[in-house]
Amino acid sequence: MKNRSSLPLYTPSSPSLPDEKLLYQNTDLNNNRSDDSGLSSRNVYIETYGCQMNVSDTELMSGILTQAGHRTVSHIDDADVILLNTCAIRENAEIKVINRLVHLNHRKRRKEDLIIGVCGCMAQHLRDKLLEAAPYVDLVMGPDGYRDLPMALNAVVTGDPFLSLQLDKNEDYADIAPIRKEGIRAWLTIQRGCDKMCTFCIVPFVRGRERSIPLDILTDDVKRLVDEGFKEIVLLGQTVNSYNDSQHDFGELLWRIAGVDGVERVRFTSPHPADATDSMIDALENCPEVCKQLHLPLQSGSTRVLETMRRTYTVEQYRDIVYKLRERVPQIALSTDVIVGFCGETEEDFKQTYQLMEEIRFDTAFMFKYSDREGTLANKMLSDDVPESEKARRLNEIIDLQEGISADINTASIGTTVPVLIEGNSRRNDEEYHGKSDTFKTTVFPKENARIGDIVDVTIQSSTAHTLIGEIA
Ligand code: 5AD
């Protein structure tokens, strides 16, 4: 266990959010509290839904539980406790979890003392309504409540459900040591919460305000990760490049983390275009460990729609960042997020998105139909007026476009040689390794004498839309 209690917690000085009530609505729902004495050790199985931040939170939860004497298990049949670490970003994510809970209830009928908990963003979003939908759930806990997990497991034994839904703008879990699976790539949360107020997005309401973990703590974390054998560090934050611990900005952080002895590669996700500063671009251009890859969410190719989304940039400004990046880092791979069918999106707006994707030619894109989320600004102020069938058509059109572009870009890389960090055996063939190129493309090649964790030069011989296939040069 790390001891970082002597370090001051960073208190963000962020602009106030329009609906603070929703964020800090109460919540003194932590009923049934009792202390940890007499707590018996339990086997906990955690199932993770949603983004990489949730994967990272699961590692944090494992750290907290293990520290309190519990075990995390990898087979659900071994579990005394099943925790779902959930996502609220789109309706589908919540439907998936509700369906899963129905299945888990069957399991609970066979094993009466099984504890079922819902943690994370959907817990925070639906709050006590979750217990109406799934009354057999024992525990509902939002992303800032994980310190209460050991106490909660103890408390639910008395029978009543345990709710921990207080958002805490000071909670950064900086003193908790997450438990990670061994591997090559470690995900490191450098910032929690979000102060941007995109109208479509539930994140500020379920994860609270932005807070950055002090750089000295992160540097120590990275040294530890290197000692544990990790070679690549992926920095995580909702708007990761707005990082500021009141002494260092994101560019400084990149140089510092990349400078830790033994760090071979640094990536980060997801930056916000409005915070794409020169210091970030400088690190991408000049810091050898910072990979030549950027995921830069666009959301829409129509400035009008970007305005109703409150993205705080125009298409021209986004385009300028892309051109600047490509000028200074010619080999950079760009990926993005796009939403179609947002409130009021016309055919003309959609065409502008399509054309911008044609023009920019992202390496890859994550594409979504707009999903109305209760509690967001769009839900309150705008009308979800694009018919479902129209959303689906628009989505299919950009998926088809992007598949072709991704395949073409990969085909164009045939004959080039790319550095690949080897992660393990390829899924299909034990004679082959897989790893990621500097530009984050999955690359597969025969093993020869290389070892997992090596960075090797691979000459690309063929490709699909999502994979490069080659041989060590
Ligand atoms: N509907 C559809 N997509 C959404 N995203 C966020 N909120 C919504 C929503 N309500 C998408 C954005 C974001 C990604 C993580 O999820 O594109 O960048």
Side-chain angles (χ1 to χ4, degrees), residues 441-453:
K441 304 258 164 94
T442 299
T443 309
V444 175
F445 51 92
K447 288 181 170 175
E448 299 189 21
N449 295 323
R451 284 168 313 170
I452 293 172

Side-chain angles (χ1 to χ4, degrees), residues 89-90 200-201 297 299 337-339 368-371 373:
I89 201 103
R90 283 170 290 276
F200 54 79
C201 190
Q299 311 302 4
D337 290 340
V338 177
I339 299 175
F368 312 103
K369 287 187 280 189
Y370 172 60
S371 165
R373 309 276 55 218

Side-chain angles (χ1 to χ4, degrees), residues 89-197:
I89 201 103
R90 283 170 290 276
E91 194 182 7
N92 279 349
E94 289 188 343
I95 292 171
K96 222 195 250 175
V97 169
I98 295 286
N99 290 338
R100 180 67 174 142
L101 285 172
V102 172
H103 274 273
L104 294 181
N105 191 29
H106 294 310
R107 194 173 270 272
K108 193 169 165 102
R109 289 212 190 104
R110 295 197 303 271
K111 185 174 177 346
E112 237 176 54
D113 56 354
L114 181 68
I115 295 172
I116 298 179
V118 180
C119 304
C121 296
M122 175 181 172
Q124 193 70 41
H125 185 217
L126 297 187
R127 310 170 64 85
D128 21 2
K129 270 194 238 154
L130 241 174
L131 291 173
E132 283 164 31
Y136 42 86
V137 164
D138 301 289
L139 157 68
V140 182
M141 183 173 277
D144 287 347
Y146 299 144
R147 279 180 206 273
D148 287 346
L149 264 177
M151 172 175 45
L153 296 192
N154 206 20
V156 294
V157 176
T158 61
D160 290 329
F162 185 101
L163 292 137
S164 173
L165 296 163
Q166 184 96 47
L167 285 170
D168 178 354
K169 65 181 176 183
N170 290 321
E171 178 58 276
D172 62 5
Y173 298 109
D175 59 317
I176 304 288
I179 294 191
R180 298 177 166 87
K181 283 200 195 114
E182 279 177 23
I184 296 298
R185 176 177 305 114
W187 304 80
L188 181 68
T189 299
I190 65 164
Q191 176 206 59
R192 298 182 70 84
C194 183
D195 282 350
K196 300 273 192 285
M197 268 290 158

Side-chain angles (χ1 to χ4, degrees), residues 273 294-302 306 313-326 330 332-338 352-365 401-402 405-406 409:
L294 192 69
H295 181 72
L296 194 63
L298 165 67
Q299 311 302 4
S300 171
S302 153
L306 288 174
Y313 54 85
T314 62
V315 166
E316 288 64 38
Q317 286 166 330
Y318 186 94
R319 190 188 268 121
D320 284 351
I321 300 167
V322 168
Y323 284 106
K324 192 188 226 177
L325 277 163
R326 286 194 166 146
I332 198 162
L334 293 177
S335 56
T336 200
D337 290 340
V338 177
Q352 289 179 18
T353 299
Y354 189 98
Q355 283 162 4
L356 191 64
M357 291 176 74
E358 268 183 323
E359 176 193 327
I360 292 181
R361 295 177 63 79
F362 295 102
D363 288 69
T364 50
L401 169 69
Q402 185 57 48
I405 294 171
S406 297
I409 290 176

Side-chain angles (χ1 to χ4, degrees), residues 344-355:
E345 185 189 75
T346 62
E347 185 60 24
E348 177 53 32
D349 293 319
F350 169 68
K351 274 198 187 121
Q352 289 179 18
T353 299
Y354 189 98
Q355 283 162 4

